[in-house]
Amino acid sequence: MWLLKRLALVQLLLLQFFLLNPAAAKKDKPEISSHQLDNAPANFFYFDDSNTILLHDREAGLVHRSEDAGKTWDKVDVEAGKAWDLWRHPYDNQKAYIMGKASTHWHTNDQGKTWQDFEIPRARPSLVRAPLSFHAKDSDKVLIHGEVCRIGGILDCTQTTFYTSNGFKEIGLLRRDTRGCVFAHATPEFDTGDGEKADDRIVCVTTGRTSDDRREHRLAVSDNYFEDEHEPALEGDRTVQGLLSVAVVKGYLVAAVRAPNTDELAMYVTDDASVWHRAVFPTDSRLKEDAYTILESTSYSIQVDVLAVDPPTPMGVLFTSNSNGTYFTKNIQHTNRNIHGIVDFEKVQGIQGIVLVNVVDNYEEVERSFGQEEKRLKTQISFDDGREFQDLTVDEKSLHLHSVTEMKNIGRVFSSPAPGVVMGVGNTGKYLKGYDEGDLYVSDDAGLTWTLALEEAHKYEFGDQGSILLAIYDEGPTDVIQYSLNHGKKWHKVDLPEGKIRAKALTTTPDATSMKFFLWGTKRGGSKTEHWVFSIDFEDMHEDKCKDKDFEKWAARVDKDGKPSCVMGRKQFFDRRKADADCFIREKKFEEIEPNFDTCKCTEEDFECDYNFVRSKDRKECVRDGPLPDPKGACKNGAKKYKASSGYRKIPGNGCKGGVDLEGEKERDCGDTLKPIVSGEINTERTAFPAQSFSNYFYLERAGSSSDSSKAGEDETVVMRTDKSEVYISRDHGKTWDQILKGEDIKDIYPHPHFSDVCFFVTTGKKVHYTVNRGDTYGHFDAKLEPTRDSNRPALAFHADYKDWLIWTGAQDCDEDNKNCHNDALYSTDRGGTWEYLARYVRKCEFIKEEGRGDKQKLVYCERFKDEKLDGPLQLQSSDNWFAKAETHFNNIVDFATMSEFIIVATRDDSDSLKVDASVDGQTFADALFPSNFNVPIQKAYTVLDSHTHAVFMHVTVGDRQDAEYGSIVKSNSNGTSYVLSLNQVNRNKDGYVDFEKMLGLEGVALVNVVSNIIEAEKGSGKKLKTMITHNDGGEWSLLKAPQKDAEGKSYDCSTGDCSLHLHGYTERRDPRATFSSPSAVGLMMAVGNVGGYLTEKSEKTSDTFITRDGGIEWQAVKKGNYMWEYGDQGSIIVIVRDTVSTDEIFYSLDEGQTWTPYKFSKKKVYVAILSTVPSDNSLNFLLWGQEEDSDSEIVTFNLDFSQIKERQEKCKLDPKNPDSDYYLWEPKHPLSDSNCLFGHIAQYLRKLPDRNCKNDQSIQHYFDKGENCECTRADFECDYNFEPAKDGSCKLVSGLEPPDHSKICKEDPEKMSYFKPTGYRRVPLSTCEGGNELEKYQSKEVPCRGHEKDFEEAHRGLGGFWIFMLAVVLPIGIASAVGYWVWQNWDGKFGKIRLGEQGSAFDADRPWIKYPVLAVSGIVAVVAAVPLLVGSLWRWASGLFGGGRRYTTRGSFARGRGDYAVVDEDELLGEDEDEEV
């Protein structure tokens, strides 16, 4: 009885204790609290090592904060409705950032308790990249990516990066025209090795020096926030263009570069942000744009998944690099990817070397089915960094898990810092089934063995370092959660307080040490979706704190026998809570478990190949990669052996000791240091073909910056078709040839104009063959229709970004009489695997995709006959949904053309005259305003010449009498709608082609031929042509200066005084690819012509061959007679061969044409029709196409290989600021200028010194630098709209016309404060001049923009009376007195010798361009490109060995023989005013 009373007393005391101390009352389940949100959260996160959460409500523009893991919430103190984005600092757990939509933003330094605003004037956060980039070692340093936009739009924005180095106390401009910037110290692991010197090193992708073309994007590095910058050498001592992106991955800085005319990428890597290397992949694997993914990597290697099979069923190959990220080896094939580049790959967190991937088991069927076959996925795991993979197993059954491509939660998919505890949703069996057919599985030995945790799919999370596993049903609504305290062996259910919800996210602190979890879910509340968040707290549960006995030493990695295994020379162990321990770790909250390591003995796996060594094909040993360096002359004086690297080195960071040692020195032969013996001679290979002529040929050049660097410059593929429809291919620039597609009647060859690896071979029927790898393999498809019968229209059109997107134009209803024969267009997005109708009764259809035209990838333009009547008008329609819905832009067009950013359309008006409309966005068109004094009653034709300087050059035909055709060149503003006269009387031929050619590689230089005898020519006399040149993009023109002596050293007869150099231009060219210049040989041009009063007939007696080395200012005669020419090795080799006569020799020059050496290439005389080389002019090989004199049944090619000549064995040294460099900086100039200023600045180009015996090797970036801006001169201006050049060179208003309205710039730029009234001049678009003779402001009144009057008045507030008196009276008198004194002191008594303007004024009437006054204009429309050639039109070459060809849009098009296939009827060319038939 006494005992019972005592027990009752104890119970009463305990009850009183718990009632008075509720916190001490331990619970048997977690505490759950709920909170309803107004809207769905756009983002939320924990601050690391805390219970503080920030949650972003983007719809309301608010941020909420909780200090207790989601139990209670408060709104943060920022302006309501302004919060657009929320970011957490990845390395400072006190800092976060709220980005506003405009220029005001906020930051916190105390986990969101308080916020401070900061301003980025005139800029908004970037819409195309993450707005913030962080410094891992100093959280006060942040980069801000923004956009400075005009007119509030998204198309006219300058990508600009700002920075703060003191936590947003101050914000400075880092750099304009950026395309992404990062601190080198963007991760804790990255180390520049330069200490504090490189602490602020920043790496940016920037636009090109002269253009925003992504092919010219480059890398810029600065250590002082871009007070100065430099461009690092990525390829040896060469800089590289085409940068796409840059990122820091663990201890590596990685840059991706797009190779031109291909979807392949090169990847460059540095581990110190100073020395870069190209990443080398196995030769059968190539990086492709948007087709490689840099995965979660280690501190000692990079892991990359490379796309192997294109969408719609993408698959990849997993690679791992060596320690400096330069050499990659294959781990596993057929990895599963989605169309966004996300890969089923994840490392087990915190444990070295364990990786889970999903692979496609039925990869062969999937690849063949073009997306029709569903992938069958299997899950594989590796415990040795990907060297070997094995199945996951549950009771000896294979287990497959849903991975990263099917993210169902936030954070990592399988693991957390909880050591060794891994979970996943999946199923057992042969393959992975649907998510709703999966169950939850768990492993507590890092994936070695698995058990079923819960049936059905669940979201899951880890807490208290793995002591707590939490899960919630994920196949529908639920009102319970489940948790396990013993690694998933036993589970407990707890009810949620708000009834059933659909779980959206379950998370906890990033280190998985907390006992609190955060859940977001939704439920239906009437017609509205309710959003609820829950705090799930295990801290008050009754489990005790763990003691030493509750922990075990757990080996993170074990071998097949269960023994601890080594990674990077160490065994990894954790002190981990036992699964069945009845306790929580508790006091170690926010402290991650640190591993312990045991040192291993070294094995072969601890070593990698040393520099200059690579793995053998069987991967068993390291073999030398080329000649080895001679260490300090050890091989001199007849020595035969020397000590050098064994070929191996221990992987940096590897901790093994003892055991195997592979990195000791090895005795090697001195012969290993020698380079291959060269012959010193030109090698020639002749090949004969059983045919009478070549029909066409095309180069499929491998770009030098592609991922397959071993092929760059070596695989110089050429495809060719003969007149017998036989097709041949050469992979070595014509040294050897193979016939392909035997027995097929190949009608035409279509190289892809945007991807040089891809080529299509069209037959006369529906069958089309193709190769996507330059002839390695071939495939075919069947089109639904036979190719179009219109010989001037292409059957195929191509997309600029997606190489498998095609438009097929085929013939329909073409019976014997062809009365109803018309063209229909079909499209395919899988390279002809499937076809769908696009539009019927078309003439042509094109993809309209260009830089700056937004993201409408499906935008297509078609010329369609109205009401499907072939005798009806031609409409221009567009659609961005495959013509499910079409928009009609014009009802009566002649043709349209695309060039650079412009779309030009020729239409007929009611009077049957032509007019031009232009668009830059592909959606909105505006009338093109020609100079108002063009009073031709009916305009008949235009020729679009060029638009590569952000302005359209257009030839407007004035006289169209046969054999007397000519016209005027007009030049547009930046949107192609307002034109001013540039030059008139410019020659064209009957087909609309114009003697106009831009110099490639040098901005603003162009040549034309003008008709000097207009009146006589129109009466039937022959044309007399003169050649003129412009050095300021058409602002001024002059005759070419004649050389004094001919090629034999004899003086030219210029006794008549009318003596200049005249060149045969494009209208006489047999091969449109034979351009005067090359973009890789800057400053050089070659041409055939004569010296005299005008251009004479092209003949051996009257014509000579000339060269210029300074952009057309000075010319030299190099050979008597007519020659063809080609540039090799970027101009360091020039080859010429006789034209129109048979020959057996060529001449070559190694010093830019100063001296010429003959070489006999054939035993027989040969009629050479074409001399060619690769489009980049970077090769040491040339190809002659011709026919031997005594043969009428064979045609021949001769390959000329200069790679063995002794003068081109050494690679040129590139450092123009070093006296020993093989290059110098060349500055082009305007011939009428005393300085080197051109377009308002001094441009510098890298050029090889002509006397240096070395080779350029890889392509170099010739444009080196743009110096400071110069003062403005007349050369920086052209005549404004409605103004024309007067005889004195000034710009005069055309009689009876009004000057243009310059106030429009205020509407275009709302922040513009003022504008100047027109003076008759407008700045040349390329000019960057400042100050000096600013003619657009000269004697002009500055006027305030509407709405800015007060600002203007304040900025231009007048001076006081005293200062007016000083400036207006005293100062002029003082200056006049000083000048008078100087004259009195220096006068020689002969004032008559002094003439004002003796040095030439801006309006000197004697200047040559004044001789050609303005004429009225009329029209024909040809679309001619930069050289100048028709945009994709076909024309038949002159009779000869090449029976046909195309016109091309760029030099790359010419050299590859590629057309843009926007084919225009040669009697119509954008607008011959005659009836036509299809």
Side-chain angles (χ1 to χ4, degrees), residues 52-94:
T52 301
I53 304 175
L54 291 184
L55 183 148
H56 179 213
D57 180 347
R58 177 171 290 162
E59 187 173 342
L62 298 172
V63 173
H64 302 269
R65 180 177 183 269
S66 173
E67 288 188 344
D68 50 14
K71 288 183 180 180
T72 60
W73 294 88
D74 296 299
K75 295 177 183 177
V76 304
D77 186 19
V78 301
E79 188 176 353
K82 299 294 185 180
W84 173 249
D85 210 352
L86 177 65
W87 288 80
R88 176 175 64 91
H89 198 294
Y91 305 112
D92 189 329
N93 68 349
Q94 298 295 311

Side-chain angles (χ1 to χ4, degrees), residues 4 39 192 255 257 344 538 559 563 647 753 776 801 811 823 848 890 970 1016-1017 1034 1069 1294 1421 1432 1451:
L4 292 175
N39 302 293
T192 62
V257 178
D344 278 345
F538 285 80
D559 58 21
K563 297 180 180 179
D776 284 347
D801 290 342
N823 294 329
I848 306 295
F890 301 96
V970 292
E1016 293 86 351
R1069 196 168 288 163
V1294 177
V1421 179
R1451 168 131 183 125

Side-chain angles (χ1 to χ4, degrees), residues 548-791:
D548 290 344
K549 65 181 181 63
D550 296 312
F551 292 88
E552 62 180 350
K553 184 178 181 180
W554 177 74
R557 289 164 33 103
V558 295
D559 58 21
K560 295 179 180 179
D561 299 325
K563 297 180 180 179
S565 57
C566 301
V567 173
M568 288 293 287
R570 298 183 299 180
K571 298 176 183 177
Q572 190 177 17
F573 298 91
F574 289 90
D575 291 326
R576 177 176 90 164
R577 170 188 172 273
K578 295 177 181 177
D580 56 356
D582 188 16
C583 63
F584 289 142
I585 298 175
R586 292 185 183 278
E587 287 189 5
K588 292 190 176 182
K589 182 173 60 176
F590 306 139
E591 293 182 16
E592 296 182 33
I593 299 179
E594 294 295 330
N596 302 308
F597 295 98
D598 288 352
T599 301
C600 302
K601 289 185 177 181
C602 296
T603 67
E604 291 184 2
E605 292 183 352
D606 297 307
F607 296 86
E608 65 181 9
C609 294
D610 202 353
Y611 293 104
N612 298 315
F613 290 84
V614 295
R615 284 284 177 185
S616 58
K617 290 185 178 180
D618 60 8
R619 315 298 305 166
K620 292 183 179 180
E621 60 178 334
C622 293
V623 297
R624 64 187 179 94
D625 183 24
L628 299 178
D630 180 1
K632 298 180 181 179
C635 288
K636 289 184 177 180
N637 303 321
K640 295 182 179 180
K641 299 285 185 179
Y642 72 103
K643 291 281 189 179
S645 169
S646 65
Y648 296 88
R649 67 169 183 168
K650 186 187 290 187
I651 300 171
N654 190 293
C656 73
K657 294 182 179 179
V660 175
D661 181 11
L662 298 180
E663 62 179 351
E665 287 191 334
K666 177 181 178 181
E667 190 174 72
R668 294 190 174 276
D669 293 332
C670 283
D672 293 346
T673 68
L674 301 178
K675 297 180 179 179
I677 298 175
V678 297
S679 67
E681 298 177 352
I682 301 170
N683 294 321
T684 303
E685 294 290 343
R686 172 189 176 275
T687 307
F689 304 90
Q692 293 186 334
S693 67
F694 301 102
S695 291
N696 44 32
Y697 72 94
F698 303 92
Y699 281 94
L700 309 180
E701 182 186 8
R702 170 149 298 280
S705 57
S706 62
S707 56
D708 190 358
S709 61
S710 64
K711 296 293 184 183
E714 297 178 8
D715 182 351
E716 297 177 355
T717 300
V718 192
V719 293
M720 173 267 292
R721 185 173 71 95
T722 70
D723 60 349
K724 292 185 176 181
S725 296
E726 295 176 340
V727 179
Y728 295 83
I729 188 169
S730 172
R731 303 302 299 271
D732 51 15
H733 209 141
K735 294 176 183 175
T736 58
W737 293 87
D738 295 307
Q739 186 178 353
I740 58 174
L741 307 176
K742 294 181 179 180
E744 298 286 352
D745 186 9
I746 304 299
K747 175 185 177 182
D748 211 344
I749 300 176
Y750 288 83
H752 199 299
H754 308 291
F755 298 93
S756 59
D757 290 347
V758 184
C759 190
F760 295 83
F761 306 89
V762 176
T763 67
T764 53
K766 298 179 181 179
K767 192 173 186 180
V768 178
H769 301 268
Y770 63 83
T771 177
V772 295
N773 45 31
R774 301 174 332 284
D776 284 347
T777 58
Y778 297 90
H780 72 271
F781 60 78
D782 288 327
K784 289 186 176 181
L785 302 174
E786 292 183 356
T788 175
R789 297 190 181 184
D790 187 343
S791 60

Side-chain angles (χ1 to χ4, degrees), residues 322-341:
N322 61 347
S323 66
N324 65 5
T326 56
Y327 288 95
F328 283 77
T329 56
K330 188 181 299 182
N331 294 124
I332 190 170
Q333 299 187 88
H334 318 305
T335 53
N336 184 51
R337 304 166 55 97
N338 64 18
I339 60 174
H340 305 294

Side-chain angles (χ1 to χ4, degrees), residues 1124-1381:
M1124 293 178 281
W1125 59 88
E1126 265 296 357
Y1127 306 94
D1129 191 38
Q1130 303 170 64
S1132 86
I1133 301 175
I1134 305 175
V1135 172
I1136 61 176
V1137 65
R1138 296 296 293 268
D1139 190 9
T1140 68
V1141 297
S1142 61
T1143 183
D1144 59 1
E1145 69 176 358
I1146 56 101
F1147 292 86
Y1148 67 93
S1149 175
L1150 304 180
D1151 54 10
E1152 296 186 347
Q1154 296 178 38
T1155 60
W1156 295 89
T1157 304
Y1159 171 73
K1160 189 172 182 179
F1161 67 87
S1162 174
K1163 296 179 180 179
K1164 300 178 180 179
K1165 296 277 188 177
V1166 179
Y1167 290 102
V1168 178
I1170 299 292
L1171 167 61
S1172 69
T1173 188
V1174 295
S1176 66
D1177 293 327
N1178 191 35
S1179 176
L1180 294 171
N1181 284 264
F1182 300 83
L1183 200 55
L1184 301 175
W1185 310 73
Q1187 190 170 36
E1188 292 170 339
E1189 271 188 335
D1190 58 354
S1191 174
D1192 57 3
S1193 60
E1194 282 188 341
I1195 50 179
V1196 292
T1197 61
F1198 291 87
N1199 167 272
L1200 307 177
D1201 183 359
F1202 285 77
S1203 64
Q1204 294 290 301
I1205 63 173
K1206 63 181 184 300
E1207 295 90 346
R1208 292 296 179 266
Q1209 295 308 306
E1210 297 293 330
K1211 182 179 176 181
C1212 297
K1213 292 176 288 187
L1214 178 57
D1215 184 1
K1217 297 180 181 179
N1218 186 328
D1220 294 331
S1221 174
D1222 293 313
Y1223 295 86
Y1224 70 104
L1225 293 177
W1226 175 67
E1227 298 176 356
K1229 62 180 293 185
H1230 194 289
L1232 301 178
S1233 172
D1234 294 331
S1235 72
N1236 286 353
C1237 287
L1238 194 59
F1239 299 111
H1241 55 267
I1242 298 176
Q1244 294 182 320
Y1245 292 83
L1246 277 173
R1247 290 180 64 172
K1248 177 182 169 293
L1249 289 163
D1251 61 347
R1252 297 299 173 92
N1253 287 327
C1254 58
K1255 60 182 176 181
N1256 288 302
D1257 197 25
Q1258 294 155 335
S1259 181
I1260 63 174
Q1261 181 180 333
H1262 289 279
Y1263 192 98
F1264 182 77
D1265 195 12
K1266 184 183 79 172
E1268 293 184 1
N1269 291 334
C1270 307
E1271 290 188 346
C1272 298
T1273 67
R1274 173 65 176 88
D1276 294 299
F1277 296 89
E1278 58 194 6
C1279 290
D1280 203 351
Y1281 184 69
N1282 283 353
F1283 288 80
E1284 63 184 8
K1287 291 184 178 181
D1288 64 352
S1290 64
C1291 294
K1292 301 295 185 183
L1293 183 65
V1294 177
S1295 178
L1297 300 181
E1298 294 292 329
D1301 182 8
H1302 283 188
S1303 66
K1304 291 180 179 179
I1305 67 171
C1306 299
K1307 297 178 181 178
E1308 295 174 357
D1309 186 356
E1311 296 188 17
K1312 196 81 174 176
M1313 186 171 65
S1314 63
Y1315 65 93
F1316 287 88
K1317 288 200 170 183
T1319 64
Y1321 300 89
R1322 70 179 185 185
R1323 192 178 296 245
V1324 174
L1326 289 177
S1327 179
T1328 61
C1329 71
E1330 296 175 341
N1333 194 11
E1334 295 183 289
L1335 295 179
E1336 84 270 48
K1337 303 177 183 178
Y1338 182 66
Q1339 293 184 346
S1340 176
K1341 181 180 178 182
E1342 187 176 5
V1343 181
C1345 291
R1346 181 175 296 179
H1348 289 274
E1349 290 84 357
K1350 290 184 178 180
D1351 297 336
F1352 178 82
E1353 182 179 352
E1354 184 174 339
H1356 296 75
R1357 187 167 293 158
L1359 298 170
F1362 170 77
W1363 287 109
I1364 292 176
F1365 174 78
M1366 291 295 293
L1367 293 174
V1369 180
V1370 178
L1371 184 59
I1373 292 175
I1375 293 174
S1377 300
V1379 172
Y1381 177 76

Side-chain angles (χ1 to χ4, degrees), residues 80 299 442 537 846 1086 1160 1164 1224 1236 1368 1401 1446:
S299 58
V442 65
D537 187 356
E846 291 183 10
M1086 292 197 71
K1160 189 172 182 179
K1164 300 178 180 179
Y1224 70 104
N1236 286 353
S1401 72
R1446 298 192 179 95

